[in-house]
Amino acid sequence: MTSPKNLFSSRFNEIFFQTIADSTNAYAWLHILNKPSYSNRDGAWTETDCDELHRFIAVILMLGIMKVKTIDRYHNFFLIFFFVVVVLHV
C-alpha cells in the first residue's frame, strides 16, 4: 500500500513545486515596490521554497479532508500538527 505522501509526490513532482516557488518569488519582487504589504518591514522579500510549499499545500489538503464539528476547530494546532506530521509524514 502506498503512503499518502508517496501518492501526493507521484502527482506533484519537484519541478511543479519549484515552478510555483520561482513564479511566486518573481511576482513578489516585481510588485513589492507597488504593494509594500508583500515585503518584510525592511522592504525585503523572504523567498519561498519547495519545502514551504509542500507544508502549505499539506495544510490546505488537510482542511479539505478533515471534518470537524465547528469551524473554530480548524484552528486547533494539535489537529493540524497531527495530520501534517503523523498522517502525511511531512
Side-chain angles (χ1 to χ4, degrees):
M1 185 166 107
T2 191
S3 73
K5 184 178 180 182
N6 289 341
L7 182 61
F8 181 81
S9 296
S10 71
R11 303 293 189 267
F12 303 101
N13 60 23
E14 289 304 309
I15 296 169
F16 172 81
F17 284 102
Q18 192 60 54
T19 300
I20 292 175
D22 292 344
S23 297
T24 300
N25 293 327
Y27 182 88
W29 283 116
L30 186 65
H31 291 81
I32 207 162
L33 295 175
N34 297 329
K35 296 187 180 191
S37 63
Y38 288 168
S39 68
N40 296 332
R41 289 183 186 192
D42 64 358
W45 168 254
T46 303
E47 293 200 343
T48 189
D49 58 20
C50 292
D51 290 334
E52 184 177 29
L53 288 170
H54 275 105
R55 291 188 300 270
F56 175 72
I57 300 239
V59 169
I60 296 232
L61 290 173
M62 182 274 309
L63 292 173
I65 294 169
M66 259 177 90
K67 301 296 180 210
V68 294
K69 293 184 180 189
T70 60
I71 198 157
D72 62 318
R73 300 287 291 161
Y74 282 111
H75 298 279
N76 183 317
F77 176 77
F78 176 76
L79 292 175
I80 293 171
F81 176 81
F82 176 81
F83 185 82
V84 171
V85 175
V86 177
V87 177
L88 293 180
H89 306 289
V90 174

